[in-house]
Amino acid sequence: MAVLKQEQKINLTTKKQHPRLRSMKDFYRKLKRNKAALVGGYLILFLTIVSLIGPYFLSNGINDVDYTARLQPPSAEYWLGTDQHGRDIFSRIIYGGQITLIVGFLSVALGGIVGVAIGIASGYYGGKIDTVIMRLMDILLAFPGILLALAIVSILGPDIVNVIYAVAIYSIPSFARIARGSTLSVKKLEYIDAVRGIGAGDFRILVRHVLPNVISPLIVQATLSIATAILTASGLSFLGLGAQPPSPEWGAMLNDGRGYMHDAGHIALFPGLAIVIAVLAFNLFGDGIRDALDPKSK
């Protein structure tokens, strides 16, 4: 209890001095000035709501086959047309949004948790631990992300769960390096020495004082990584290594429609547009968050 009270006093005296301790009000004010970020945020909110509650209002199921209506163009009955099996593309895209968002958020969450823990520990303790960890991260970064994910899925087997693991693994180095770099600057501050001087242990310092002050660049990285994760997962499904038929994952739908580009281009067009919109939304929002959290911006 005594340590907690002393920490509170130290935090109050150093809060105005540390450039990373910014008010939420200032953050929202800067974010609202960025029109592109607002568009991205609204698109993310729209995609999330539609993916979560949209399936409850659909009259056509994702695997309702009707060969009498196959390859139908967009119409009043089938808003986005039908595929080669007569399935409603609109319904499948709505359902596929759930899969896409789950893959994006879960893979980045797993990679972020592991990467941040490794990066903070590496930057805080330094020495041989830092050297070994960073060399391992350099090895992972030497591989292009999509190729590393492709190799991992090839080993684990084609499945959407394995895609999540693959994307999470190749996301670890980025989070680790950002967390390490921020930790190296934070641990040199005087208030960290003061907290350590009153008896706080390493774990308490890392969780209560280091992590909150390195979270800003990690939030930006997480938002941008979700866009990369969606694109990677769709690419693996397009290659047949991700979600398997008859799953309505957008990349798998794109793969189904590539053989009908000339006769029924809408089969590949609409899943492709869904991927573009989702990736664009997270990139725009991530850029806006980065600008809003930048201490140099006014």
Side-chain angles (χ1 to χ4, degrees), residues 5 45 56 94 99 114 116 119 170 254 276:
K5 291 182 178 179
L45 182 62
Y56 296 102
I94 297 299
I99 301 175
V114 176
V116 170
Y170 92 69
L254 192 61
V276 170

Side-chain angles (χ1 to χ4, degrees), residues 189-208:
L189 298 175
E190 293 181 357
Y191 84 96
I192 297 295
D193 294 330
V195 172
R196 187 182 295 111
I198 63 176
D202 288 343
F203 181 78
R204 188 180 187 87
I205 292 174
L206 290 174
V207 174
R208 290 183 57 85

Side-chain angles (χ1 to χ4, degrees), residues 3-62:
V3 172
L4 179 59
K5 291 182 178 179
Q6 291 295 330
E7 286 180 350
Q8 292 174 346
K9 292 181 180 179
I10 293 173
N11 288 336
L12 289 175
T13 57
T14 59
K15 183 175 182 180
K16 295 182 179 180
Q17 300 174 5
H18 200 284
R20 293 188 182 277
L21 296 175
R22 310 178 63 84
S23 68
M24 292 301 297
K25 184 178 180 180
D26 185 44
F27 167 76
Y28 285 124
R29 178 178 57 82
K30 292 181 178 180
L31 188 62
K32 286 192 295 185
R33 290 208 308 256
N34 192 323
K35 303 302 182 183
L38 289 180
V39 171
Y42 288 138
L43 282 175
I44 293 172
L45 182 62
F46 173 76
L47 290 173
T48 302
I49 293 175
V50 170
S51 298
L52 291 177
I53 67 174
Y56 296 102
F57 298 95
L58 298 175
S59 57
N60 297 317
I62 58 175

Side-chain angles (χ1 to χ4, degrees), residues 136-202:
L136 290 175
M137 296 300 104
D138 289 340
I139 292 174
L140 290 177
L141 285 173
F143 296 93
I146 185 65
L147 293 182
L148 180 59
L150 185 63
I152 295 172
V153 174
S154 298
I155 295 172
L156 298 178
D159 184 73
I160 195 65
V161 176
N162 293 336
V163 169
I164 294 176
Y165 292 149
V167 176
I169 290 173
Y170 92 69
S171 299
I172 290 175
S174 299
F175 285 100
R177 293 184 70 87
I178 292 174
R180 173 185 178 271
S182 300
T183 301
L184 288 175
S185 61
V186 171
K187 76 173 186 178
K188 297 178 182 179
L189 298 175
E190 293 181 357
Y191 84 96
I192 297 295
D193 294 330
V195 172
R196 187 182 295 111
I198 63 176
D202 288 343

Side-chain angles (χ1 to χ4, degrees), residues 27 84 87 104 126 133 200 214 218 240 283:
F27 167 76
Q84 68 274 23
R87 297 173 298 191
I133 291 177
V214 303
L218 295 174
N283 279 331

